[in-house]
Amino acid sequence: MKNTALDITLEISRALAMGAPVVAFESTVITHGLPQPQNLELAREMEKQVRTAGATPATIALIKGKIRVGLSDEELSGLSKAQPVLKVSHRDFATARVKKMDGGTTVAGTMFACQMAGIKVFATGGIGGVHKESSFDISTDLHALSNIPMIVVCAGAKAILDLPATLEYLETMGVPVVGYRTDEFPAFYSRESGLGVSVRLDSPEEIAEFARAHWDLGMRSAVLVTNPVPETQAVPKSEMDPIIAKASAEAVAQGIHGQKLTPFLLGRISELTGGKSLRTNLALLLNNARLAAQIAGAMDAKKKAWAI
Ligand code: PSU
Ligand code: MN
């Protein structure tokens, strides 16, 4: 089906047509999640890591209202500096389209575009979830995970969220939460949360096999792979908890809510940790890009084995 809202680069559409491994990236992390110039450096480095691992990177964003799969370096650079720029989840695509705006796609928005494009593996930092400040602030990311069949690699979810409620919601919606070489759900900056995953898997091949089994059964939900930040870059939970509590209290005091809440909390946490959390954030994003490329490669290898 030719979709005029969607624009895929030749390189990516060729890779998809050949069944070669492709890894998608979101762009809200570039437009709203990280400061300049680290956002652009990170976006470039993630693409590089994926290429080194033998897969094709596909950064997804809205450019002048069009859903773009694969960006040129000029476009990536423009997006990293664009002001104002939309944060695009499901409800915002039509806004971007009719107003011909640039926008960074959230996890949910990126999954929507991946489904249109036929991309099966996506790497991000942390997913959105149920916020602590308001029981009605539940990220569209959770809804997307419940009904878009693809693999999403993340470092868990930040403890700015209500993590037990987020995991309950994922369970209700039938989303398997895979711990990569861990039994514990990682909390983004920290490797520990005190909460469990639904299954532990120890290799990219096992993850590819698991996803295949999930979808072969007729399930339509995503497989959420949680990859703990490398030990050398992790910040202990005990160190993060008071900082997160302070940032959350400030958000409540300042009346910050809705789409602005996540970017506000991320920015404040980075300030309060004197940039330490930012370094952790960058490290886990690259770590997730590498694992996603390995998983995409393992899925590709499986497909070929089955075709014989
Ligand atoms: N969590 C992070 N960093 C981020 C985000 C989440 O640690 O940059 C971004 C992602 O793009 C995610 C979005 O999809 O925030 C969730 O926003 P909301 O809570 O408004 O749905
Ligand atoms: Mn929200």
Side-chain angles (χ1 to χ4, degrees), residues 87 129 131 136-140 257-262:
K87 173 174 161 182
H131 272 281
F136 281 106
D137 188 346
I138 300 173
S139 175
T140 313
H257 58 88
Q259 271 196 318
K260 292 200 168 68
L261 183 58
T262 301

Side-chain angles (χ1 to χ4, degrees), residues 11 15 49 58 143 168 173 176 180 194 213-214 216-217 225 241 244 274 290:
E11 184 198 12
Q49 296 274 342
H143 179 72
E168 291 293 349
M173 291 299 175
Y180 180 62
H214 184 66
D216 277 352
L217 286 162
V225 176
D241 280 350
I244 287 166
R290 285 188 290 269

Side-chain angles (χ1 to χ4, degrees), residues 124-126 155 188-189 229-230 279-289:
T124 183
F188 198 87
Y189 302 118
V229 62
R279 284 191 292 281
T280 305
N281 202 339
L282 299 175
L284 66 85
L285 279 157
L286 293 176
N287 194 42
N288 294 346

Side-chain angles (χ1 to χ4, degrees), residues 33-179:
L34 294 171
Q36 295 177 31
Q38 288 92 340
N39 57 351
L40 178 61
E41 288 161 12
L42 186 275
R44 285 177 174 152
E45 190 57 32
M46 283 184 74
E47 293 212 348
K48 209 162 114 191
Q49 296 274 342
V50 162
R51 285 190 197 284
T52 306
T56 303
T59 301
I60 293 176
L62 274 290
I63 304 280
K64 295 192 176 66
K66 200 148 201 180
I67 304 169
R68 298 284 308 276
V69 178
L71 303 177
S72 67
D73 196 61
E74 292 73 44
E75 287 165 338
L76 210 53
S77 167
L79 199 65
S80 75
K81 299 182 189 108
Q83 280 303 334
V85 62
L86 273 184
K87 173 174 161 182
V88 183
S89 239
H90 282 50
R91 66 158 193 194
D92 311 295
F93 278 92
T95 307
R97 188 168 160 89
V98 300
K99 295 185 185 287
K100 300 193 171 28
M101 286 181 77
D102 291 349
T105 49
T106 62
V107 168
T110 306
M111 290 178 74
F112 175 74
C114 282
Q115 189 175 34
M116 274 180 150
I119 298 175
K120 284 294 194 192
V121 183
F122 160 33
T124 183
I127 57 160
V130 181
H131 272 281
K132 284 175 180 162
E133 293 79 4
S134 155
S135 52
F136 281 106
D137 188 346
I138 300 173
S139 175
T140 313
D141 294 356
L142 300 187
H143 179 72
L145 287 162
S146 75
N147 64 18
I148 301 180
M150 61 183 301
I151 295 176
V152 178
V153 181
C154 67
K158 282 204 179 83
I160 57 173
L161 300 170
D162 183 336
L163 296 183
T166 300
L167 282 174
E168 291 293 349
Y169 192 99
L170 289 169
E171 180 181 349
T172 303
M173 291 299 175
V175 180
V177 178
V178 176

